[in-house]
Amino acid sequence: MINKLYSGLFLFIVCVMAITALAYLFRAIIGPKFSDRILAINSIQTIIILIICILSVVQEESYIVDIALIYAMLGFVTVVIVCKAYLRSHHKDRANDLANLKEEARK
């Protein structure tokens, strides 16, 4: 009896998290700024990790948590690499804009 209640509760929580992940996906697509998109993707990754951990509890298999940890590490590294690449390109654009302004000021 209690196991059925927990299973129903876990299913409800997973459904709510899936709906929230879809809302974040919408935000990642529509987001006006790059930072909004990165935060939305990071939030989706966190929700997926939570869903994987809930799956581990429902299935009563502890190795699934290891998969969630690996996914968390990959997600963190991915966000860091994407942010670093964006900042590098952003600084190049700013340097080009500054050089163009200096050339216009000389004329």
Side-chain angles (χ1 to χ4, degrees):
M1 177 72 178
I2 295 294
N3 288 338
K4 287 185 180 181
L5 289 174
Y6 278 130
S7 295
L9 177 66
F10 288 146
L11 180 65
F12 174 74
I13 291 170
V14 167
C15 289
V16 169
M17 286 184 181
I19 292 170
T20 306
L22 288 175
Y24 278 123
L25 181 63
F26 179 73
R27 184 64 180 167
I29 293 170
I30 301 297
K33 296 182 183 176
F34 178 76
S35 59
D36 294 335
R37 292 185 172 110
I38 289 294
L39 287 173
I41 296 298
N42 200 11
S43 298
I44 291 171
Q45 290 174 348
T46 303
I47 289 171
I48 290 173
I49 291 167
L50 289 172
I51 290 173
I52 292 171
C53 290
I54 289 172
L55 178 67
S56 170
V57 171
V58 170
Q59 296 291 323
E60 297 176 359
E61 297 288 343
S62 61
Y63 72 90
I64 299 176
V65 177
D66 296 335
I67 295 169
L69 288 172
I70 291 169
Y71 183 74
M73 288 187 286
L74 288 173
F76 174 75
V77 170
T78 302
V79 168
V80 169
I81 290 171
V82 168
C83 286
K84 193 168 189 167
Y86 173 75
L87 287 176
R88 187 174 295 146
S89 68
H90 181 71
H91 285 299
K92 286 181 183 177
D93 290 342
R94 298 278 294 202
N96 290 338
D97 290 344
L98 185 60
N100 291 337
L101 285 175
K102 285 181 181 179
E103 286 179 19
E104 289 177 9
R106 289 180 190 166
K107 292 178 182 180

PDB file of all heavy atoms in Angstrom, residues 69-101:
ATOM      1  N   LEU A  69      25.588  11.268 -11.550  1.00  0.00           N
ATOM      2  CA  LEU A  69      26.800  12.014 -11.216  1.00  0.00           C
ATOM      3  C   LEU A  69      27.662  12.269 -12.454  1.00  0.00           C
ATOM      4  O   LEU A  69      28.196  13.371 -12.631  1.00  0.00           O
ATOM      5  CB  LEU A  69      27.612  11.260 -10.161  1.00  0.00           C
ATOM      6  CG  LEU A  69      27.020  11.258  -8.753  1.00  0.00           C
ATOM      7  CD1 LEU A  69      27.804  10.315  -7.864  1.00  0.00           C
ATOM      8  CD2 LEU A  69      27.004  12.649  -8.182  1.00  0.00           C
ATOM      9  N   ILE A  70      27.782  11.290 -13.301  1.00  0.00           N
ATOM     10  CA  ILE A  70      28.545  11.468 -14.541  1.00  0.00           C
ATOM     11  C   ILE A  70      27.873  12.514 -15.427  1.00  0.00           C
ATOM     12  O   ILE A  70      28.530  13.382 -16.003  1.00  0.00           O
ATOM     13  CB  ILE A  70      28.700  10.123 -15.274  1.00  0.00           C
ATOM     14  CG1 ILE A  70      29.614   9.201 -14.475  1.00  0.00           C
ATOM     15  CG2 ILE A  70      29.245  10.324 -16.686  1.00  0.00           C
ATOM     16  CD1 ILE A  70      29.627   7.779 -14.961  1.00  0.00           C
ATOM     17  N   TYR A  71      26.548  12.462 -15.511  1.00  0.00           N
ATOM     18  CA  TYR A  71      25.805  13.444 -16.295  1.00  0.00           C
ATOM     19  C   TYR A  71      25.996  14.847 -15.720  1.00  0.00           C
ATOM     20  O   TYR A  71      26.129  15.821 -16.478  1.00  0.00           O
ATOM     21  CB  TYR A  71      24.327  13.068 -16.335  1.00  0.00           C
ATOM     22  CG  TYR A  71      23.505  13.990 -17.184  1.00  0.00           C
ATOM     23  CD1 TYR A  71      23.579  13.945 -18.562  1.00  0.00           C
ATOM     24  CD2 TYR A  71      22.656  14.929 -16.605  1.00  0.00           C
ATOM     25  CE1 TYR A  71      22.828  14.801 -19.351  1.00  0.00           C
ATOM     26  CE2 TYR A  71      21.908  15.784 -17.383  1.00  0.00           C
ATOM     27  CZ  TYR A  71      21.999  15.717 -18.745  1.00  0.00           C
ATOM     28  OH  TYR A  71      21.270  16.576 -19.509  1.00  0.00           O
ATOM     29  N   ALA A  72      26.032  14.951 -14.386  1.00  0.00           N
ATOM     30  CA  ALA A  72      26.241  16.261 -13.753  1.00  0.00           C
ATOM     31  C   ALA A  72      27.622  16.811 -14.087  1.00  0.00           C
ATOM     32  O   ALA A  72      27.770  18.008 -14.377  1.00  0.00           O
ATOM     33  CB  ALA A  72      26.067  16.138 -12.243  1.00  0.00           C
ATOM     34  N   MET A  73      28.633  15.956 -14.047  1.00  0.00           N
ATOM     35  CA  MET A  73      29.986  16.416 -14.377  1.00  0.00           C
ATOM     36  C   MET A  73      30.086  16.853 -15.837  1.00  0.00           C
ATOM     37  O   MET A  73      30.679  17.893 -16.145  1.00  0.00           O
ATOM     38  CB  MET A  73      31.002  15.319 -14.086  1.00  0.00           C
ATOM     39  CG  MET A  73      31.235  15.089 -12.609  1.00  0.00           C
ATOM     40  SD  MET A  73      32.561  13.940 -12.266  1.00  0.00           S
ATOM     41  CE  MET A  73      31.796  12.393 -12.695  1.00  0.00           C
ATOM     42  N   LEU A  74      29.496  16.066 -16.735  1.00  0.00           N
ATOM     43  CA  LEU A  74      29.516  16.442 -18.154  1.00  0.00           C
ATOM     44  C   LEU A  74      28.754  17.740 -18.396  1.00  0.00           C
ATOM     45  O   LEU A  74      29.184  18.585 -19.198  1.00  0.00           O
ATOM     46  CB  LEU A  74      28.927  15.321 -19.000  1.00  0.00           C
ATOM     47  CG  LEU A  74      29.790  14.074 -19.151  1.00  0.00           C
ATOM     48  CD1 LEU A  74      29.004  12.990 -19.881  1.00  0.00           C
ATOM     49  CD2 LEU A  74      31.063  14.395 -19.885  1.00  0.00           C
ATOM     50  N   GLY A  75      27.626  17.916 -17.719  1.00  0.00           N
ATOM     51  CA  GLY A  75      26.853  19.144 -17.868  1.00  0.00           C
ATOM     52  C   GLY A  75      27.614  20.362 -17.383  1.00  0.00           C
ATOM     53  O   GLY A  75      27.597  21.421 -18.025  1.00  0.00           O
ATOM     54  N   PHE A  76      28.316  20.213 -16.263  1.00  0.00           N
ATOM     55  CA  PHE A  76      29.104  21.327 -15.739  1.00  0.00           C
ATOM     56  C   PHE A  76      30.217  21.710 -16.706  1.00  0.00           C
ATOM     57  O   PHE A  76      30.417  22.888 -17.015  1.00  0.00           O
ATOM     58  CB  PHE A  76      29.689  20.959 -14.371  1.00  0.00           C
ATOM     59  CG  PHE A  76      30.634  21.988 -13.829  1.00  0.00           C
ATOM     60  CD1 PHE A  76      30.153  23.180 -13.316  1.00  0.00           C
ATOM     61  CD2 PHE A  76      31.997  21.775 -13.845  1.00  0.00           C
ATOM     62  CE1 PHE A  76      31.016  24.139 -12.827  1.00  0.00           C
ATOM     63  CE2 PHE A  76      32.870  22.724 -13.363  1.00  0.00           C
ATOM     64  CZ  PHE A  76      32.377  23.914 -12.849  1.00  0.00           C
ATOM     65  N   VAL A  77      30.952  20.719 -17.192  1.00  0.00           N
ATOM     66  CA  VAL A  77      32.050  20.985 -18.118  1.00  0.00           C
ATOM     67  C   VAL A  77      31.521  21.621 -19.397  1.00  0.00           C
ATOM     68  O   VAL A  77      32.129  22.557 -19.939  1.00  0.00           O
ATOM     69  CB  VAL A  77      32.830  19.681 -18.415  1.00  0.00           C
ATOM     70  CG1 VAL A  77      33.808  19.865 -19.555  1.00  0.00           C
ATOM     71  CG2 VAL A  77      33.549  19.207 -17.165  1.00  0.00           C
ATOM     72  N   THR A  78      30.387  21.152 -19.880  1.00  0.00           N
ATOM     73  CA  THR A  78      29.796  21.715 -21.097  1.00  0.00           C
ATOM     74  C   THR A  78      29.454  23.188 -20.924  1.00  0.00           C
ATOM     75  O   THR A  78      29.757  24.014 -21.792  1.00  0.00           O
ATOM     76  CB  THR A  78      28.538  20.920 -21.490  1.00  0.00           C
ATOM     77  OG1 THR A  78      28.893  19.556 -21.666  1.00  0.00           O
ATOM     78  CG2 THR A  78      27.921  21.467 -22.753  1.00  0.00           C
ATOM     79  N   VAL A  79      28.825  23.537 -19.803  1.00  0.00           N
ATOM     80  CA  VAL A  79      28.456  24.930 -19.558  1.00  0.00           C
ATOM     81  C   VAL A  79      29.701  25.806 -19.457  1.00  0.00           C
ATOM     82  O   VAL A  79      29.748  26.911 -20.006  1.00  0.00           O
ATOM     83  CB  VAL A  79      27.575  25.043 -18.288  1.00  0.00           C
ATOM     84  CG1 VAL A  79      27.428  26.474 -17.843  1.00  0.00           C
ATOM     85  CG2 VAL A  79      26.214  24.439 -18.542  1.00  0.00           C
ATOM     86  N   VAL A  80      30.730  25.320 -18.790  1.00  0.00           N
ATOM     87  CA  VAL A  80      31.965  26.101 -18.663  1.00  0.00           C
ATOM     88  C   VAL A  80      32.600  26.334 -20.035  1.00  0.00           C
ATOM     89  O   VAL A  80      33.024  27.451 -20.362  1.00  0.00           O
ATOM     90  CB  VAL A  80      32.953  25.398 -17.708  1.00  0.00           C
ATOM     91  CG1 VAL A  80      34.327  26.042 -17.765  1.00  0.00           C
ATOM     92  CG2 VAL A  80      32.418  25.438 -16.283  1.00  0.00           C
ATOM     93  N   ILE A  81      32.662  25.300 -20.855  1.00  0.00           N
ATOM     94  CA  ILE A  81      33.274  25.438 -22.188  1.00  0.00           C
ATOM     95  C   ILE A  81      32.470  26.395 -23.060  1.00  0.00           C
ATOM     96  O   ILE A  81      33.043  27.250 -23.752  1.00  0.00           O
ATOM     97  CB  ILE A  81      33.417  24.054 -22.849  1.00  0.00           C
ATOM     98  CG1 ILE A  81      34.496  23.248 -22.133  1.00  0.00           C
ATOM     99  CG2 ILE A  81      33.745  24.182 -24.332  1.00  0.00           C
ATOM    100  CD1 ILE A  81      34.564  21.804 -22.563  1.00  0.00           C
ATOM    101  N   VAL A  82      31.158  26.273 -23.044  1.00  0.00           N
ATOM    102  CA  VAL A  82      30.318  27.155 -23.866  1.00  0.00           C
ATOM    103  C   VAL A  82      30.456  28.611 -23.407  1.00  0.00           C
ATOM    104  O   VAL A  82      30.583  29.519 -24.235  1.00  0.00           O
ATOM    105  CB  VAL A  82      28.849  26.693 -23.835  1.00  0.00           C
ATOM    106  CG1 VAL A  82      27.929  27.733 -24.425  1.00  0.00           C
ATOM    107  CG2 VAL A  82      28.695  25.382 -24.565  1.00  0.00           C
ATOM    108  N   CYS A  83      30.461  28.834 -22.111  1.00  0.00           N
ATOM    109  CA  CYS A  83      30.607  30.201 -21.608  1.00  0.00           C
ATOM    110  C   CYS A  83      31.975  30.782 -21.963  1.00  0.00           C
ATOM    111  O   CYS A  83      32.083  31.949 -22.326  1.00  0.00           O
ATOM    112  CB  CYS A  83      30.400  30.239 -20.101  1.00  0.00           C
ATOM    113  SG  CYS A  83      28.683  30.056 -19.609  1.00  0.00           S
ATOM    114  N   LYS A  84      33.008  29.953 -21.840  1.00  0.00           N
ATOM    115  CA  LYS A  84      34.342  30.433 -22.176  1.00  0.00           C
ATOM    116  C   LYS A  84      34.439  30.786 -23.662  1.00  0.00           C
ATOM    117  O   LYS A  84      35.016  31.812 -24.030  1.00  0.00           O
ATOM    118  CB  LYS A  84      35.375  29.382 -21.811  1.00  0.00           C
ATOM    119  CG  LYS A  84      36.773  29.885 -21.838  1.00  0.00           C
ATOM    120  CD  LYS A  84      37.721  28.910 -21.188  1.00  0.00           C
ATOM    121  CE  LYS A  84      39.076  29.557 -21.047  1.00  0.00           C
ATOM    122  NZ  LYS A  84      39.957  28.816 -20.175  1.00  0.00           N
ATOM    123  N   ALA A  85      33.876  29.959 -24.519  1.00  0.00           N
ATOM    124  CA  ALA A  85      33.907  30.241 -25.955  1.00  0.00           C
ATOM    125  C   ALA A  85      33.116  31.509 -26.273  1.00  0.00           C
ATOM    126  O   ALA A  85      33.545  32.335 -27.093  1.00  0.00           O
ATOM    127  CB  ALA A  85      33.343  29.059 -26.732  1.00  0.00           C
ATOM    128  N   TYR A  86      31.976  31.685 -25.619  1.00  0.00           N
ATOM    129  CA  TYR A  86      31.174  32.884 -25.853  1.00  0.00           C
ATOM    130  C   TYR A  86      31.921  34.131 -25.392  1.00  0.00           C
ATOM    131  O   TYR A  86      31.950  35.143 -26.105  1.00  0.00           O
ATOM    132  CB  TYR A  86      29.836  32.781 -25.144  1.00  0.00           C
ATOM    133  CG  TYR A  86      29.043  34.062 -25.209  1.00  0.00           C
ATOM    134  CD1 TYR A  86      28.410  34.448 -26.377  1.00  0.00           C
ATOM    135  CD2 TYR A  86      28.956  34.906 -24.111  1.00  0.00           C
ATOM    136  CE1 TYR A  86      27.706  35.631 -26.456  1.00  0.00           C
ATOM    137  CE2 TYR A  86      28.258  36.092 -24.174  1.00  0.00           C
ATOM    138  CZ  TYR A  86      27.631  36.453 -25.340  1.00  0.00           C
ATOM    139  OH  TYR A  86      26.949  37.612 -25.414  1.00  0.00           O
ATOM    140  N   LEU A  87      32.524  34.067 -24.216  1.00  0.00           N
ATOM    141  CA  LEU A  87      33.231  35.238 -23.711  1.00  0.00           C
ATOM    142  C   LEU A  87      34.425  35.580 -24.588  1.00  0.00           C
ATOM    143  O   LEU A  87      34.727  36.754 -24.808  1.00  0.00           O
ATOM    144  CB  LEU A  87      33.685  34.999 -22.270  1.00  0.00           C
ATOM    145  CG  LEU A  87      32.566  35.023 -21.238  1.00  0.00           C
ATOM    146  CD1 LEU A  87      33.103  34.688 -19.859  1.00  0.00           C
ATOM    147  CD2 LEU A  87      31.882  36.377 -21.214  1.00  0.00           C
ATOM    148  N   ARG A  88      35.103  34.561 -25.123  1.00  0.00           N
ATOM    149  CA  ARG A  88      36.239  34.820 -26.006  1.00  0.00           C
ATOM    150  C   ARG A  88      35.770  35.550 -27.264  1.00  0.00           C
ATOM    151  O   ARG A  88      36.372  36.533 -27.687  1.00  0.00           O
ATOM    152  CB  ARG A  88      36.921  33.506 -26.369  1.00  0.00           C
ATOM    153  CG  ARG A  88      38.199  33.713 -27.142  1.00  0.00           C
ATOM    154  CD  ARG A  88      38.932  32.414 -27.355  1.00  0.00           C
ATOM    155  NE  ARG A  88      39.367  31.893 -26.069  1.00  0.00           N
ATOM    156  CZ  ARG A  88      39.432  30.608 -25.774  1.00  0.00           C
ATOM    157  NH1 ARG A  88      39.077  29.708 -26.658  1.00  0.00           N
ATOM    158  NH2 ARG A  88      39.856  30.218 -24.593  1.00  0.00           N
ATOM    159  N   SER A  89      34.690  35.092 -27.875  1.00  0.00           N
ATOM    160  CA  SER A  89      34.187  35.751 -29.077  1.00  0.00           C
ATOM    161  C   SER A  89      33.623  37.135 -28.751  1.00  0.00           C
ATOM    162  O   SER A  89      33.760  38.066 -29.546  1.00  0.00           O
ATOM    163  CB  SER A  89      33.129  34.893 -29.757  1.00  0.00           C
ATOM    164  OG  SER A  89      31.963  34.819 -28.970  1.00  0.00           O
ATOM    165  N   HIS A  90      33.024  37.268 -27.581  1.00  0.00           N
ATOM    166  CA  HIS A  90      32.471  38.553 -27.171  1.00  0.00           C
ATOM    167  C   HIS A  90      33.588  39.583 -26.987  1.00  0.00           C
ATOM    168  O   HIS A  90      33.448  40.736 -27.398  1.00  0.00           O
ATOM    169  CB  HIS A  90      31.675  38.385 -25.872  1.00  0.00           C
ATOM    170  CG  HIS A  90      31.048  39.649 -25.383  1.00  0.00           C
ATOM    171  ND1 HIS A  90      29.988  40.226 -26.025  1.00  0.00           N
ATOM    172  CD2 HIS A  90      31.338  40.449 -24.326  1.00  0.00           C
ATOM    173  CE1 HIS A  90      29.630  41.330 -25.376  1.00  0.00           C
ATOM    174  NE2 HIS A  90      30.443  41.475 -24.348  1.00  0.00           N
ATOM    175  N   HIS A  91      34.708  39.172 -26.385  1.00  0.00           N
ATOM    176  CA  HIS A  91      35.819  40.099 -26.197  1.00  0.00           C
ATOM    177  C   HIS A  91      36.460  40.489 -27.527  1.00  0.00           C
ATOM    178  O   HIS A  91      36.892  41.622 -27.696  1.00  0.00           O
ATOM    179  CB  HIS A  91      36.877  39.490 -25.262  1.00  0.00           C
ATOM    180  CG  HIS A  91      36.471  39.491 -23.826  1.00  0.00           C
ATOM    181  ND1 HIS A  91      36.199  40.641 -23.128  1.00  0.00           N
ATOM    182  CD2 HIS A  91      36.274  38.478 -22.958  1.00  0.00           C
ATOM    183  CE1 HIS A  91      35.857  40.350 -21.896  1.00  0.00           C
ATOM    184  NE2 HIS A  91      35.890  39.029 -21.761  1.00  0.00           N
ATOM    185  N   LYS A  92      36.516  39.574 -28.483  1.00  0.00           N
ATOM    186  CA  LYS A  92      37.054  39.910 -29.806  1.00  0.00           C
ATOM    187  C   LYS A  92      36.166  40.940 -30.490  1.00  0.00           C
ATOM    188  O   LYS A  92      36.658  41.880 -31.108  1.00  0.00           O
ATOM    189  CB  LYS A  92      37.177  38.657 -30.669  1.00  0.00           C
ATOM    190  CG  LYS A  92      38.317  37.767 -30.273  1.00  0.00           C
ATOM    191  CD  LYS A  92      38.394  36.550 -31.176  1.00  0.00           C
ATOM    192  CE  LYS A  92      39.503  35.618 -30.743  1.00  0.00           C
ATOM    193  NZ  LYS A  92      39.547  34.397 -31.550  1.00  0.00           N
ATOM    194  N   ASP A  93      34.853  40.770 -30.368  1.00  0.00           N
ATOM    195  CA  ASP A  93      33.927  41.734 -30.964  1.00  0.00           C
ATOM    196  C   ASP A  93      34.088  43.103 -30.318  1.00  0.00           C
ATOM    197  O   ASP A  93      34.069  44.124 -30.996  1.00  0.00           O
ATOM    198  CB  ASP A  93      32.481  41.256 -30.828  1.00  0.00           C
ATOM    199  CG  ASP A  93      32.176  40.056 -31.703  1.00  0.00           C
ATOM    200  OD1 ASP A  93      32.954  39.804 -32.656  1.00  0.00           O
ATOM    201  OD2 ASP A  93      31.158  39.380 -31.435  1.00  0.00           O
ATOM    202  N   ARG A  94      34.246  43.115 -28.997  1.00  0.00           N
ATOM    203  CA  ARG A  94      34.419  44.386 -28.292  1.00  0.00           C
ATOM    204  C   ARG A  94      35.729  45.060 -28.708  1.00  0.00           C
ATOM    205  O   ARG A  94      35.780  46.272 -28.862  1.00  0.00           O
ATOM    206  CB  ARG A  94      34.385  44.167 -26.778  1.00  0.00           C
ATOM    207  CG  ARG A  94      33.090  43.619 -26.227  1.00  0.00           C
ATOM    208  CD  ARG A  94      32.119  44.683 -26.046  1.00  0.00           C
ATOM    209  NE  ARG A  94      32.608  45.575 -25.015  1.00  0.00           N
ATOM    210  CZ  ARG A  94      31.860  46.370 -24.318  1.00  0.00           C
ATOM    211  NH1 ARG A  94      30.573  46.397 -24.529  1.00  0.00           N
ATOM    212  NH2 ARG A  94      32.365  47.163 -23.410  1.00  0.00           N
ATOM    213  N   ALA A  95      36.790  44.265 -28.877  1.00  0.00           N
ATOM    214  CA  ALA A  95      38.075  44.826 -29.299  1.00  0.00           C
ATOM    215  C   ALA A  95      37.963  45.398 -30.705  1.00  0.00           C
ATOM    216  O   ALA A  95      38.522  46.470 -30.987  1.00  0.00           O
ATOM    217  CB  ALA A  95      39.157  43.751 -29.232  1.00  0.00           C
ATOM    218  N   ASN A  96      37.260  44.709 -31.600  1.00  0.00           N
ATOM    219  CA  ASN A  96      37.062  45.228 -32.961  1.00  0.00           C
ATOM    220  C   ASN A  96      36.247  46.515 -32.938  1.00  0.00           C
ATOM    221  O   ASN A  96      36.547  47.446 -33.674  1.00  0.00           O
ATOM    222  CB  ASN A  96      36.380  44.186 -33.837  1.00  0.00           C
ATOM    223  CG  ASN A  96      37.289  43.025 -34.153  1.00  0.00           C
ATOM    224  OD1 ASN A  96      38.502  43.151 -34.088  1.00  0.00           O
ATOM    225  ND2 ASN A  96      36.689  41.894 -34.497  1.00  0.00           N
ATOM    226  N   ASP A  97      35.219  46.578 -32.112  1.00  0.00           N
ATOM    227  CA  ASP A  97      34.419  47.799 -32.005  1.00  0.00           C
ATOM    228  C   ASP A  97      35.263  48.957 -31.490  1.00  0.00           C
ATOM    229  O   ASP A  97      35.160  50.080 -31.972  1.00  0.00           O
ATOM    230  CB  ASP A  97      33.225  47.569 -31.070  1.00  0.00           C
ATOM    231  CG  ASP A  97      32.190  46.642 -31.672  1.00  0.00           C
ATOM    232  OD1 ASP A  97      32.224  46.415 -32.901  1.00  0.00           O
ATOM    233  OD2 ASP A  97      31.345  46.134 -30.904  1.00  0.00           O
ATOM    234  N   LEU A  98      36.115  48.663 -30.501  1.00  0.00           N
ATOM    235  CA  LEU A  98      36.966  49.710 -29.946  1.00  0.00           C
ATOM    236  C   LEU A  98      37.965  50.203 -30.989  1.00  0.00           C
ATOM    237  O   LEU A  98      38.208  51.414 -31.120  1.00  0.00           O
ATOM    238  CB  LEU A  98      37.701  49.188 -28.715  1.00  0.00           C
ATOM    239  CG  LEU A  98      38.549  50.178 -27.946  1.00  0.00           C
ATOM    240  CD1 LEU A  98      37.681  51.332 -27.439  1.00  0.00           C
ATOM    241  CD2 LEU A  98      39.256  49.502 -26.796  1.00  0.00           C
ATOM    242  N   ALA A  99      38.521  49.297 -31.779  1.00  0.00           N
ATOM    243  CA  ALA A  99      39.478  49.687 -32.830  1.00  0.00           C
ATOM    244  C   ALA A  99      38.773  50.524 -33.891  1.00  0.00           C
ATOM    245  O   ALA A  99      39.330  51.525 -34.382  1.00  0.00           O
ATOM    246  CB  ALA A  99      40.087  48.440 -33.457  1.00  0.00           C
ATOM    247  N   ASN A 100      37.539  50.149 -34.248  1.00  0.00           N
ATOM    248  CA  ASN A 100      36.791  50.948 -35.228  1.00  0.00           C
ATOM    249  C   ASN A 100      36.491  52.343 -34.712  1.00  0.00           C
ATOM    250  O   ASN A 100      36.541  53.315 -35.463  1.00  0.00           O
ATOM    251  CB  ASN A 100      35.501  50.230 -35.606  1.00  0.00           C
ATOM    252  CG  ASN A 100      35.760  48.971 -36.414  1.00  0.00           C
ATOM    253  OD1 ASN A 100      36.803  48.846 -37.032  1.00  0.00           O
ATOM    254  ND2 ASN A 100      34.807  48.056 -36.383  1.00  0.00           N
ATOM    255  N   LEU A 101      36.166  52.457 -33.421  1.00  0.00           N
ATOM    256  CA  LEU A 101      35.898  53.777 -32.844  1.00  0.00           C
ATOM    257  C   LEU A 101      37.146  54.648 -32.859  1.00  0.00           C
ATOM    258  O   LEU A 101      37.087  55.851 -33.120  1.00  0.00           O
ATOM    259  CB  LEU A 101      35.372  53.622 -31.422  1.00  0.00           C
ATOM    260  CG  LEU A 101      33.932  53.147 -31.282  1.00  0.00           C
ATOM    261  CD1 LEU A 101      33.585  52.920 -29.829  1.00  0.00           C
ATOM    262  CD2 LEU A 101      32.985  54.185 -31.884  1.00  0.00           C
TER     263      LEU A 101
END
